[in-house]
Amino acid sequence: MIKKCLFPAAGYGTRFLPATKSMPKEMMPIVNKPLIEYGVDEAIQAGMTDMCIVTGRGKHSLMDHFDKNYELEHQISGTSKEALLDDIRSVIDSANFTYIRQREMKGLGHAILTGRDLVGDNPFAVVLADDLCINPDQGVLAQMVALYKQFRCSIVAVEEVPADETHKYGVIAGETLTDNLMRVTDMVEKPEQGTAPSNLAIIGRYILTPDIFDIIENTEPGKGGEIQITDALLQQAKGGCVLAYKFKGKRFDCGSVEGFIEATNYCFENVYKG
Ligand code: G1P
């Protein structure tokens, strides 16, 4: 039922300079696969067919990655290396890829609004590729789609983080519905140390209903002078319902060097070798 997945991918990836000087951070590999491909795999596993990617300057390699490379195909055709392309070939055959350029960096809310024409008037998923989520039985997006079928409202994935890390995230407060589900009553983007409403941090997986676009349009710049999806979601929660879901699985913050290395070690042992 949710067919579209939006990937905001226009950011500069400054935390990984110089590696990201001319290479998109979404193309950084965890073992032998770029980060964004893990996100696309997760979306396909959740039944999505349309990958809508919000790009920026210098992101051509993203588009090339999800396209045929005839010269390479010709070179390795019939050799033992051909099998190394099996996964990406199947990804390319399973989904449509569309792209739109975000010309100015005005925050995650603005990036999502930039994707409006690609998404249309449909509920959709959002994946922030630098949050790598692994759950072998059922990916995090598939878990969230199952919930969406039941509740038909926006859903954010959340995870408990130590109190001294809440300032790095959007943080929610809510009323408990079940063990792993809450109805959001408050949401703060990157609260100052000691002021977070809880230790439940939003991680980079969202299901959004399309009314969010009008709400974003009317959202003033917030933290860091940027248009924040967190602020728009709080408005949506006040006018209706937004759920926060404690997902099953592991999540790595691949936007940080530590998280990237942890993800690499984990995937080498459990995904690549396994
Ligand atoms: C964004 C969101 C934040 C969320 C985080 C998850 O922040 O604005 O609410 O907690 O992603 O990774 P960023 O990490 O892009 O600064």
Short mmCIF file of all heavy atoms in Angstrom, two decimals, residues 55-110:
data_model
loop_
_atom_site.label_atom_id
_atom_site.label_comp_id
_atom_site.label_asym_id
_atom_site.label_seq_id
_atom_site.Cartn_x
_atom_site.Cartn_y
_atom_site.Cartn_z
N THR A 55 18.44 14.81 -4.32
CA THR A 55 19.89 14.92 -4.46
C THR A 55 20.33 16.38 -4.44
O THR A 55 19.50 17.29 -4.35
CB THR A 55 20.39 14.30 -5.79
OG1 THR A 55 19.89 15.11 -6.85
CG2 THR A 55 19.91 12.88 -5.95
N GLY A 56 21.61 16.57 -4.55
CA GLY A 56 22.15 17.92 -4.63
C GLY A 56 23.35 17.92 -5.57
O GLY A 56 23.60 16.92 -6.27
N ARG A 57 24.08 19.00 -5.54
CA ARG A 57 25.26 19.08 -6.40
C ARG A 57 26.25 17.95 -6.07
O ARG A 57 26.38 17.58 -4.91
CB ARG A 57 25.96 20.42 -6.20
CG ARG A 57 25.25 21.56 -6.91
CD ARG A 57 25.98 22.87 -6.67
NE ARG A 57 25.81 23.32 -5.29
CZ ARG A 57 24.73 23.98 -4.84
NH1 ARG A 57 23.73 24.24 -5.64
NH2 ARG A 57 24.66 24.36 -3.58
N GLY A 58 26.92 17.43 -7.10
CA GLY A 58 27.97 16.44 -6.87
C GLY A 58 27.48 15.06 -6.50
O GLY A 58 28.21 14.26 -5.92
N LYS A 59 26.23 14.74 -6.83
CA LYS A 59 25.68 13.45 -6.41
C LYS A 59 25.43 12.52 -7.60
O LYS A 59 24.60 11.61 -7.50
CB LYS A 59 24.38 13.68 -5.64
CG LYS A 59 24.54 14.56 -4.40
CD LYS A 59 24.89 13.75 -3.17
CE LYS A 59 24.95 14.64 -1.94
NZ LYS A 59 25.04 13.89 -0.70
N HIS A 60 26.14 12.75 -8.70
CA HIS A 60 25.88 11.95 -9.90
C HIS A 60 26.08 10.46 -9.67
O HIS A 60 25.39 9.62 -10.26
CB HIS A 60 26.79 12.39 -11.05
CG HIS A 60 26.41 13.74 -11.55
ND1 HIS A 60 25.33 13.95 -12.37
CD2 HIS A 60 26.95 14.95 -11.31
CE1 HIS A 60 25.22 15.23 -12.62
NE2 HIS A 60 26.19 15.87 -11.98
N SER A 61 27.05 10.12 -8.82
CA SER A 61 27.35 8.69 -8.66
C SER A 61 26.16 7.93 -8.06
O SER A 61 26.02 6.73 -8.28
CB SER A 61 28.61 8.48 -7.83
OG SER A 61 28.45 9.06 -6.57
N LEU A 62 25.30 8.64 -7.33
CA LEU A 62 24.09 7.99 -6.80
C LEU A 62 23.22 7.50 -7.96
O LEU A 62 22.72 6.38 -7.95
CB LEU A 62 23.26 9.01 -6.01
CG LEU A 62 23.57 9.23 -4.56
CD1 LEU A 62 22.70 10.35 -4.00
CD2 LEU A 62 23.29 7.96 -3.79
N MET A 63 23.04 8.38 -8.94
CA MET A 63 22.19 8.01 -10.08
C MET A 63 22.84 6.91 -10.91
O MET A 63 22.18 5.99 -11.36
CB MET A 63 21.94 9.25 -10.95
CG MET A 63 20.97 10.19 -10.30
SD MET A 63 20.64 11.63 -11.30
CE MET A 63 21.82 12.74 -10.65
N ASP A 64 24.16 7.01 -11.06
CA ASP A 64 24.86 5.98 -11.84
C ASP A 64 24.75 4.62 -11.15
O ASP A 64 24.68 3.59 -11.81
CB ASP A 64 26.35 6.34 -12.00
CG ASP A 64 26.52 7.52 -12.93
OD1 ASP A 64 25.59 7.78 -13.73
OD2 ASP A 64 27.58 8.18 -12.86
N HIS A 65 24.77 4.64 -9.82
CA HIS A 65 24.75 3.36 -9.09
C HIS A 65 23.46 2.58 -9.36
O HIS A 65 23.49 1.35 -9.47
CB HIS A 65 24.89 3.62 -7.58
CG HIS A 65 25.05 2.36 -6.80
ND1 HIS A 65 26.18 1.58 -6.87
CD2 HIS A 65 24.20 1.71 -5.96
CE1 HIS A 65 26.02 0.51 -6.10
NE2 HIS A 65 24.84 0.57 -5.54
N PHE A 66 22.34 3.32 -9.48
CA PHE A 66 21.07 2.64 -9.70
C PHE A 66 20.71 2.64 -11.19
O PHE A 66 19.56 2.83 -11.56
CB PHE A 66 19.98 3.28 -8.85
CG PHE A 66 20.22 3.10 -7.37
CD1 PHE A 66 20.58 4.17 -6.57
CD2 PHE A 66 20.11 1.83 -6.79
CE1 PHE A 66 20.81 3.99 -5.21
CE2 PHE A 66 20.36 1.65 -5.44
CZ PHE A 66 20.71 2.73 -4.64
N ASP A 67 21.71 2.42 -12.02
CA ASP A 67 21.50 2.38 -13.46
C ASP A 67 22.42 1.31 -14.03
O ASP A 67 23.37 0.88 -13.36
CB ASP A 67 21.85 3.77 -14.05
CG ASP A 67 21.32 3.94 -15.45
OD1 ASP A 67 20.68 3.02 -15.99
OD2 ASP A 67 21.57 5.02 -16.02
N LYS A 68 22.16 0.90 -15.26
CA LYS A 68 23.05 -0.09 -15.87
C LYS A 68 24.38 0.55 -16.24
O LYS A 68 24.43 1.72 -16.59
CB LYS A 68 22.41 -0.63 -17.15
CG LYS A 68 21.31 -1.62 -16.90
CD LYS A 68 21.17 -2.52 -18.12
CE LYS A 68 19.92 -3.36 -18.09
NZ LYS A 68 19.76 -4.25 -16.98
N ASN A 69 25.45 -0.23 -16.16
CA ASN A 69 26.76 0.22 -16.63
C ASN A 69 27.18 -0.77 -17.72
O ASN A 69 27.76 -1.82 -17.44
CB ASN A 69 27.74 0.23 -15.45
CG ASN A 69 29.14 0.66 -15.86
OD1 ASN A 69 29.51 0.56 -17.04
ND2 ASN A 69 29.93 1.10 -14.90
N TYR A 70 26.85 -0.43 -18.96
CA TYR A 70 27.01 -1.39 -20.06
C TYR A 70 28.46 -1.82 -20.25
O TYR A 70 28.76 -2.97 -20.50
CB TYR A 70 26.44 -0.81 -21.36
CG TYR A 70 24.93 -0.80 -21.34
CD1 TYR A 70 24.23 0.38 -21.10
CD2 TYR A 70 24.20 -1.98 -21.52
CE1 TYR A 70 22.84 0.39 -21.05
CE2 TYR A 70 22.82 -1.97 -21.47
CZ TYR A 70 22.14 -0.79 -21.24
OH TYR A 70 20.77 -0.78 -21.18
N GLU A 71 29.35 -0.85 -20.09
CA GLU A 71 30.77 -1.17 -20.31
C GLU A 71 31.25 -2.21 -19.29
O GLU A 71 31.88 -3.21 -19.65
CB GLU A 71 31.57 0.12 -20.15
CG GLU A 71 32.89 0.11 -20.88
CD GLU A 71 33.56 1.47 -20.74
OE1 GLU A 71 32.92 2.48 -21.08
OE2 GLU A 71 34.72 1.49 -20.29
N LEU A 72 30.89 -1.99 -18.04
CA LEU A 72 31.26 -2.92 -16.98
C LEU A 72 30.60 -4.28 -17.20
O LEU A 72 31.25 -5.34 -17.10
CB LEU A 72 30.84 -2.34 -15.62
CG LEU A 72 31.05 -3.21 -14.39
CD1 LEU A 72 32.53 -3.41 -14.10
CD2 LEU A 72 30.38 -2.57 -13.18
N GLU A 73 29.33 -4.26 -17.55
CA GLU A 73 28.60 -5.52 -17.79
C GLU A 73 29.30 -6.31 -18.89
O GLU A 73 29.46 -7.52 -18.79
CB GLU A 73 27.16 -5.22 -18.23
CG GLU A 73 26.39 -4.34 -17.28
CD GLU A 73 25.37 -5.09 -16.45
OE1 GLU A 73 24.99 -6.20 -16.84
OE2 GLU A 73 25.00 -4.56 -15.38
N HIS A 74 29.69 -5.60 -19.93
CA HIS A 74 30.34 -6.24 -21.06
C HIS A 74 31.66 -6.86 -20.63
O HIS A 74 31.98 -8.00 -20.97
CB HIS A 74 30.54 -5.20 -22.17
CG HIS A 74 31.24 -5.74 -23.37
ND1 HIS A 74 30.63 -6.59 -24.27
CD2 HIS A 74 32.52 -5.58 -23.80
CE1 HIS A 74 31.50 -6.92 -25.21
NE2 HIS A 74 32.66 -6.32 -24.95
N GLN A 75 32.43 -6.09 -19.85
CA GLN A 75 33.76 -6.54 -19.39
C GLN A 75 33.68 -7.83 -18.57
O GLN A 75 34.51 -8.71 -18.73
CB GLN A 75 34.39 -5.47 -18.49
CG GLN A 75 35.03 -4.32 -19.22
CD GLN A 75 36.34 -4.73 -19.86
OE1 GLN A 75 37.00 -5.64 -19.39
NE2 GLN A 75 36.69 -4.08 -20.96
N ILE A 76 32.71 -7.89 -17.66
CA ILE A 76 32.74 -9.03 -16.73
C ILE A 76 31.73 -10.13 -17.11
O ILE A 76 31.64 -11.14 -16.42
CB ILE A 76 32.52 -8.60 -15.26
CG1 ILE A 76 31.12 -8.08 -15.04
CG2 ILE A 76 33.55 -7.60 -14.82
CD1 ILE A 76 30.83 -7.88 -13.54
N SER A 77 31.03 -9.91 -18.21
CA SER A 77 30.05 -10.90 -18.64
C SER A 77 30.71 -12.27 -18.83
O SER A 77 31.75 -12.38 -19.48
CB SER A 77 29.41 -10.41 -19.95
OG SER A 77 28.70 -11.44 -20.53
N GLY A 78 30.15 -13.28 -18.23
CA GLY A 78 30.68 -14.64 -18.38
C GLY A 78 31.84 -14.97 -17.46
O GLY A 78 32.33 -16.09 -17.45
N THR A 79 32.32 -14.00 -16.65
CA THR A 79 33.42 -14.29 -15.72
C THR A 79 32.83 -14.58 -14.33
O THR A 79 31.65 -14.32 -14.08
CB THR A 79 34.41 -13.10 -15.59
OG1 THR A 79 33.76 -12.08 -14.81
CG2 THR A 79 34.82 -12.53 -16.94
N SER A 80 33.69 -15.04 -13.42
CA SER A 80 33.22 -15.37 -12.07
C SER A 80 32.79 -14.11 -11.32
O SER A 80 32.03 -14.17 -10.35
CB SER A 80 34.34 -16.05 -11.29
OG SER A 80 35.46 -15.17 -11.25
N LYS A 81 33.25 -12.95 -11.78
CA LYS A 81 32.91 -11.69 -11.06
C LYS A 81 31.47 -11.24 -11.31
O LYS A 81 30.96 -10.40 -10.59
CB LYS A 81 33.86 -10.57 -11.51
CG LYS A 81 35.31 -10.88 -11.23
CD LYS A 81 36.08 -9.63 -10.91
CE LYS A 81 37.48 -9.94 -10.46
NZ LYS A 81 38.48 -9.67 -11.49
N GLU A 82 30.86 -11.82 -12.31
CA GLU A 82 29.51 -11.37 -12.67
C GLU A 82 28.54 -11.49 -11.49
O GLU A 82 27.66 -10.64 -11.30
CB GLU A 82 29.00 -12.20 -13.85
CG GLU A 82 27.97 -11.45 -14.64
CD GLU A 82 27.55 -12.16 -15.92
OE1 GLU A 82 28.11 -13.23 -16.22
OE2 GLU A 82 26.64 -11.64 -16.58
N ALA A 83 28.74 -12.52 -10.68
CA ALA A 83 27.83 -12.75 -9.54
C ALA A 83 27.84 -11.58 -8.57
O ALA A 83 26.85 -11.34 -7.86
CB ALA A 83 28.22 -14.03 -8.82
N LEU A 84 28.96 -10.82 -8.55
CA LEU A 84 29.04 -9.68 -7.62
C LEU A 84 28.01 -8.60 -7.99
O LEU A 84 27.72 -7.72 -7.17
CB LEU A 84 30.44 -9.08 -7.64
CG LEU A 84 31.56 -10.00 -7.14
CD1 LEU A 84 32.92 -9.35 -7.33
CD2 LEU A 84 31.35 -10.33 -5.66
N LEU A 85 27.51 -8.64 -9.20
CA LEU A 85 26.51 -7.65 -9.61
C LEU A 85 25.07 -8.13 -9.41
O LEU A 85 24.13 -7.38 -9.65
CB LEU A 85 26.71 -7.27 -11.09
CG LEU A 85 27.89 -6.37 -11.43
CD1 LEU A 85 27.91 -6.08 -12.92
CD2 LEU A 85 27.84 -5.07 -10.64
N ASP A 86 24.92 -9.37 -8.95
CA ASP A 86 23.56 -9.93 -8.85
C ASP A 86 22.63 -9.06 -8.01
O ASP A 86 21.51 -8.77 -8.41
CB ASP A 86 23.60 -11.35 -8.24
CG ASP A 86 24.07 -12.37 -9.26
OD1 ASP A 86 24.22 -12.00 -10.45
OD2 ASP A 86 24.30 -13.53 -8.85
N ASP A 87 23.12 -8.67 -6.82
CA ASP A 87 22.25 -7.93 -5.91
C ASP A 87 21.80 -6.60 -6.50
O ASP A 87 20.61 -6.27 -6.49
CB ASP A 87 22.97 -7.65 -4.58
CG ASP A 87 23.06 -8.89 -3.72
OD1 ASP A 87 22.51 -9.94 -4.14
OD2 ASP A 87 23.68 -8.83 -2.64
N ILE A 88 22.76 -5.84 -7.01
CA ILE A 88 22.38 -4.51 -7.51
C ILE A 88 21.52 -4.63 -8.78
O ILE A 88 20.60 -3.84 -8.98
CB ILE A 88 23.62 -3.59 -7.72
CG1 ILE A 88 23.22 -2.18 -8.15
CG2 ILE A 88 24.61 -4.16 -8.71
CD1 ILE A 88 22.45 -1.39 -7.14
N ARG A 89 21.77 -5.66 -9.60
CA ARG A 89 20.91 -5.86 -10.76
C ARG A 89 19.47 -6.11 -10.32
O ARG A 89 18.53 -5.57 -10.90
CB ARG A 89 21.39 -7.08 -11.57
CG ARG A 89 22.51 -6.76 -12.52
CD ARG A 89 22.90 -8.04 -13.23
NE ARG A 89 23.94 -7.81 -14.20
CZ ARG A 89 24.72 -8.78 -14.66
NH1 ARG A 89 24.59 -10.01 -14.23
NH2 ARG A 89 25.66 -8.50 -15.56
N SER A 90 19.33 -6.92 -9.29
CA SER A 90 17.97 -7.23 -8.85
C SER A 90 17.30 -5.99 -8.24
O SER A 90 16.10 -5.76 -8.44
CB SER A 90 18.01 -8.44 -7.91
OG SER A 90 17.31 -8.23 -6.75
N VAL A 91 18.08 -5.15 -7.55
CA VAL A 91 17.53 -3.90 -7.01
C VAL A 91 17.03 -3.02 -8.16
O VAL A 91 15.91 -2.49 -8.13
CB VAL A 91 18.61 -3.15 -6.18
CG1 VAL A 91 18.21 -1.71 -5.92
CG2 VAL A 91 18.86 -3.87 -4.87
N ILE A 92 17.87 -2.88 -9.19
CA ILE A 92 17.51 -2.00 -10.32
C ILE A 92 16.25 -2.52 -11.02
O ILE A 92 15.40 -1.74 -11.45
CB ILE A 92 18.70 -1.89 -11.31
CG1 ILE A 92 19.86 -1.16 -10.64
CG2 ILE A 92 18.29 -1.19 -12.60
CD1 ILE A 92 21.17 -1.21 -11.42
N ASP A 93 16.11 -3.85 -11.09
CA ASP A 93 14.93 -4.42 -11.75
C ASP A 93 13.68 -4.34 -10.88
O ASP A 93 12.56 -4.46 -11.39
CB ASP A 93 15.18 -5.90 -12.11
CG ASP A 93 16.17 -6.01 -13.25
OD1 ASP A 93 16.38 -5.00 -13.95
OD2 ASP A 93 16.76 -7.10 -13.42
N SER A 94 13.86 -4.20 -9.57
CA SER A 94 12.70 -4.25 -8.67
C SER A 94 12.08 -2.89 -8.41
O SER A 94 11.02 -2.83 -7.78
CB SER A 94 13.07 -4.81 -7.30
OG SER A 94 13.85 -5.93 -7.41
N ALA A 95 12.74 -1.82 -8.78
CA ALA A 95 12.22 -0.51 -8.37
C ALA A 95 12.44 0.55 -9.45
O ALA A 95 13.31 0.39 -10.32
CB ALA A 95 12.93 -0.08 -7.08
N ASN A 96 11.63 1.61 -9.37
CA ASN A 96 11.85 2.80 -10.22
C ASN A 96 12.61 3.81 -9.39
O ASN A 96 12.31 3.98 -8.20
CB ASN A 96 10.53 3.44 -10.61
CG ASN A 96 9.69 2.50 -11.42
OD1 ASN A 96 10.18 1.89 -12.36
ND2 ASN A 96 8.43 2.36 -11.03
N PHE A 97 13.50 4.52 -10.03
CA PHE A 97 14.27 5.54 -9.32
C PHE A 97 13.99 6.89 -9.95
O PHE A 97 14.11 7.05 -11.17
CB PHE A 97 15.77 5.22 -9.40
CG PHE A 97 16.13 4.00 -8.61
CD1 PHE A 97 15.99 2.74 -9.16
CD2 PHE A 97 16.55 4.11 -7.30
CE1 PHE A 97 16.28 1.60 -8.41
CE2 PHE A 97 16.84 2.98 -6.54
CZ PHE A 97 16.72 1.72 -7.10
N THR A 98 13.57 7.84 -9.12
CA THR A 98 13.38 9.19 -9.63
C THR A 98 14.19 10.15 -8.74
O THR A 98 14.44 9.85 -7.57
CB THR A 98 11.90 9.61 -9.64
OG1 THR A 98 11.34 9.38 -8.35
CG2 THR A 98 11.11 8.82 -10.66
N TYR A 99 14.57 11.27 -9.32
CA TYR A 99 15.49 12.18 -8.63
C TYR A 99 14.99 13.61 -8.74
O TYR A 99 14.41 14.00 -9.75
CB TYR A 99 16.88 12.10 -9.27
CG TYR A 99 17.45 10.71 -9.23
CD1 TYR A 99 17.18 9.79 -10.25
CD2 TYR A 99 18.22 10.29 -8.15
CE1 TYR A 99 17.68 8.49 -10.19
CE2 TYR A 99 18.72 8.99 -8.08
CZ TYR A 99 18.44 8.11 -9.11
OH TYR A 99 18.93 6.82 -9.05
N ILE A 100 15.25 14.36 -7.70
CA ILE A 100 14.99 15.80 -7.77
C ILE A 100 16.11 16.50 -7.02
O ILE A 100 16.63 15.96 -6.04
CB ILE A 100 13.59 16.14 -7.21
CG1 ILE A 100 13.19 17.56 -7.57
CG2 ILE A 100 13.51 15.93 -5.70
CD1 ILE A 100 11.70 17.81 -7.50
N ARG A 101 16.49 17.67 -7.52
CA ARG A 101 17.61 18.38 -6.87
C ARG A 101 17.08 19.35 -5.83
O ARG A 101 16.18 20.14 -6.11
CB ARG A 101 18.40 19.18 -7.91
CG ARG A 101 19.16 18.36 -8.91
CD ARG A 101 20.61 18.18 -8.54
NE ARG A 101 21.43 19.34 -8.66
CZ ARG A 101 22.57 19.37 -9.36
NH1 ARG A 101 22.97 18.32 -10.06
NH2 ARG A 101 23.31 20.45 -9.36
N GLN A 102 17.68 19.30 -4.65
CA GLN A 102 17.41 20.31 -3.62
C GLN A 102 18.47 21.39 -3.83
O GLN A 102 19.66 21.12 -3.68
CB GLN A 102 17.52 19.67 -2.23
CG GLN A 102 17.16 20.60 -1.10
CD GLN A 102 17.39 19.96 0.28
OE1 GLN A 102 17.91 18.87 0.40
NE2 GLN A 102 17.00 20.67 1.32
N ARG A 103 18.03 22.58 -4.20
CA ARG A 103 19.01 23.60 -4.58
C ARG A 103 19.63 24.29 -3.37
O ARG A 103 20.77 24.72 -3.40
CB ARG A 103 18.38 24.64 -5.50
CG ARG A 103 18.09 24.06 -6.88
CD ARG A 103 17.60 25.13 -7.82
NE ARG A 103 16.32 25.67 -7.37
CZ ARG A 103 15.14 25.12 -7.65
NH1 ARG A 103 15.09 24.03 -8.37
NH2 ARG A 103 14.02 25.66 -7.22
N GLU A 104 18.85 24.41 -2.30
CA GLU A 104 19.39 25.06 -1.10
C GLU A 104 19.24 24.10 0.07
O GLU A 104 18.25 23.38 0.14
CB GLU A 104 18.57 26.31 -0.77
CG GLU A 104 18.70 27.42 -1.75
CD GLU A 104 17.64 28.47 -1.45
OE1 GLU A 104 16.46 28.20 -1.72
OE2 GLU A 104 17.99 29.53 -0.92
N MET A 105 20.19 24.12 0.97
CA MET A 105 20.13 23.24 2.14
C MET A 105 19.41 23.98 3.27
O MET A 105 20.01 24.81 3.95
CB MET A 105 21.54 22.88 2.62
CG MET A 105 22.40 22.23 1.57
SD MET A 105 21.69 20.70 1.00
CE MET A 105 21.91 20.90 -0.74
N LYS A 106 18.12 23.71 3.40
CA LYS A 106 17.36 24.44 4.43
C LYS A 106 16.76 23.50 5.46
O LYS A 106 15.73 23.78 6.04
CB LYS A 106 16.26 25.27 3.76
CG LYS A 106 16.82 26.43 2.93
CD LYS A 106 15.80 27.53 2.76
CE LYS A 106 15.18 27.48 1.39
NZ LYS A 106 14.13 28.45 1.16
N GLY A 107 17.37 22.31 5.60
CA GLY A 107 16.92 21.40 6.65
C GLY A 107 16.18 20.19 6.12
O GLY A 107 15.77 20.15 4.95
N LEU A 108 15.99 19.21 7.02
CA LEU A 108 15.36 17.95 6.62
C LEU A 108 13.91 18.15 6.19
O LEU A 108 13.44 17.53 5.23
CB LEU A 108 15.45 16.95 7.79
CG LEU A 108 14.86 15.57 7.57
CD1 LEU A 108 15.46 14.89 6.35
CD2 LEU A 108 15.07 14.71 8.81
N GLY A 109 13.19 19.03 6.88
CA GLY A 109 11.81 19.31 6.49
C GLY A 109 11.75 19.85 5.07
O GLY A 109 10.94 19.42 4.25
N HIS A 110 12.67 20.76 4.77
CA HIS A 110 12.73 21.34 3.42
C HIS A 110 13.10 20.28 2.38
O HIS A 110 12.53 20.25 1.28
CB HIS A 110 13.74 22.50 3.42
CG HIS A 110 13.91 23.15 2.09
ND1 HIS A 110 15.02 22.93 1.31
CD2 HIS A 110 13.10 23.98 1.39
CE1 HIS A 110 14.89 23.62 0.19
NE2 HIS A 110 13.74 24.27 0.23
#
